[in-house]
Amino acid sequence: MSITGYGGEGEEIPLTAFTDRRWPGILLQAGASGLDTPPFELHADSSPNLDGSIYRGSRVAAREVMLPVYLYGIDRRSLKELKRKLITALNPKHGACVLKFVEADSQVRKLYCYYKDGMGGNESAENAGFRWIKYGIQLTALDPYFYGEDLHVAEWNLNHGDGFLRTDKGLFPLRISRGILADQKIPVINPGDVEAWPVWQVQGPVRGFRLTNAAGASFGISAPADGSDAVPAGRVLTVDTRPGHKTLLDDQGKNYWPLLDPAPALWPVESGKSTVGVSVTAGSGPASLMLTLRPRFETY
């Protein structure tokens, strides 16, 4: 396990990687909490004529995490340097800190947290010494889910001379090739525990496209009436459906949101096996469509 500040771009600080007596170091102690099932908020209605309440719905709330850590220095100076490094990494003004978990099966899980409390300092005899100190770091994961690594789910190449389906490797990532792609039941697998918000990349020239999930939610851009391409040749449009992002920008920063067809729904990919509908009309050159997602998990 490790912690990295600055939104995951800072120095990675190991918490469980000690295998010898090299010091100084920061060690995670027994007693960590908040790392399994995320908390739920229940919504219910009560009636003056009935006992109890009637369930109406629920939502996953922010996750509260507590990490008991032990800082041990070679001397007083090295201990103070350890404290400064950890405090800087946890500062929420620098962005979220990333807790990284790697089990024996080498699967990586990441939880994005913000520091809340716990490093105010307690110099009592049982909590600190000349070369050591203990903290109970309190973190809040506003997004309560653990994330896996990016997963390239599918890619469609249009107007290439390749075969319709690749046969040299496994089925996924799926690669399809033809000038017009229209299929309402293309299989997609999300290995996470809950739905995942995909990122689509549309490489022009593409006259128009529409993407639909199994429930019928869809979004797309229709072909312009003047016969031009919705996504010109050489441009790559990225459709980021993640909450807090929800952007349609190409590689030159152009905003395609005003070009969306009416009532768009930037939908997630459900957990497990599902199908998506893809309709793409390529322009006068090679074009492609790529689907990438980061699976989300309820625990590490």
Side-chain angles (χ1 to χ4, degrees), residues 1-296:
M1 180 179 174
S2 66
I3 188 168
T4 306
Y6 291 89
E9 300 297 327
E11 177 186 356
E12 184 174 4
I13 303 174
L15 300 180
T16 57
F18 276 84
T19 57
D20 54 38
R21 294 183 176 273
R22 289 181 296 180
W23 302 100
I26 303 174
L27 293 176
L28 178 67
Q29 296 186 298
S33 63
L35 298 176
D36 288 323
T37 306
F40 283 82
E41 290 182 358
L42 299 180
H43 303 284
D45 293 337
S46 59
S47 172
N49 300 318
L50 297 173
D51 295 335
S53 299
I54 300 173
Y55 174 81
R56 293 302 184 191
S58 61
R59 63 179 292 271
V60 179
R63 180 192 295 265
E64 301 295 331
V65 176
M66 198 283 288
L67 301 177
V69 296
Y70 182 93
L71 281 66
Y72 191 94
I74 300 173
D75 49 27
R76 187 67 177 175
R77 178 180 178 181
S78 60
L79 174 62
K80 292 175 66 177
E81 290 176 351
L82 275 181
K83 290 196 293 184
R84 290 193 184 98
K85 181 168 69 171
L86 186 57
I87 289 171
T88 300
L90 293 175
N91 190 337
K93 292 187 176 181
H94 298 157
C97 59
V98 180
L99 299 183
K100 181 180 178 181
F101 301 79
V102 184
E103 291 287 337
D105 57 7
S106 298
Q107 290 185 343
V108 176
R109 300 286 185 264
K110 294 180 180 179
L111 182 67
Y112 294 80
C113 304
Y114 289 88
Y115 171 77
K116 182 178 181 180
D117 201 356
M119 287 195 67
N122 184 343
E123 297 292 335
S124 62
E126 63 272 15
N127 284 287
F130 185 75
R131 294 184 298 176
W132 63 274
I133 192 168
K134 295 188 294 184
Y135 295 114
I137 300 175
Q138 299 175 37
L139 305 170
T140 298
L142 301 177
D143 182 346
Y145 293 112
F146 291 83
Y147 282 80
E149 299 292 345
D150 285 353
L151 178 62
H152 180 184
V153 176
E155 181 177 349
W156 299 266
N157 295 314
L158 295 86
N159 281 353
H160 283 192
D162 304 330
F164 183 71
L165 290 175
R166 61 186 294 185
T167 57
D168 56 327
K169 298 180 180 179
L171 179 60
F172 294 100
L174 186 65
R175 297 179 185 271
I176 301 177
S177 172
R178 58 178 173 180
I180 298 178
L181 172 62
D183 194 329
Q184 296 302 311
K185 291 187 177 181
I186 295 177
V188 172
I189 297 178
N190 170 12
D193 296 329
V194 296
E195 71 276 5
W197 297 89
V199 175
W200 301 85
Q201 284 189 320
V202 184
Q203 180 175 345
V206 169
R207 296 191 183 280
F209 67 91
R210 175 160 293 278
L211 307 172
T212 309
N213 69 359
S218 67
F219 66 91
I221 298 177
S222 298
D226 60 5
S228 61
D229 295 325
V231 182
R235 299 278 69 82
V236 178
L237 170 62
T238 299
V239 182
D240 193 339
T241 69
R242 294 175 298 167
H245 297 268
K246 300 292 186 184
T247 56
L248 287 86
L249 299 173
D250 70 8
D251 52 320
Q252 292 188 339
K254 179 182 176 181
N255 182 16
Y256 281 68
W257 192 274
L259 303 179
L260 279 174
D261 294 337
L266 273 61
W267 42 267
V269 176
E270 295 300 321
S271 175
K273 296 180 180 179
S274 62
T275 59
V276 300
V278 177
S279 177
V280 180
T281 302
S284 59
S288 67
L289 174 67
M290 182 185 298
L291 167 59
T292 302
L293 59 81
R294 293 188 69 188
R296 305 191 297 174

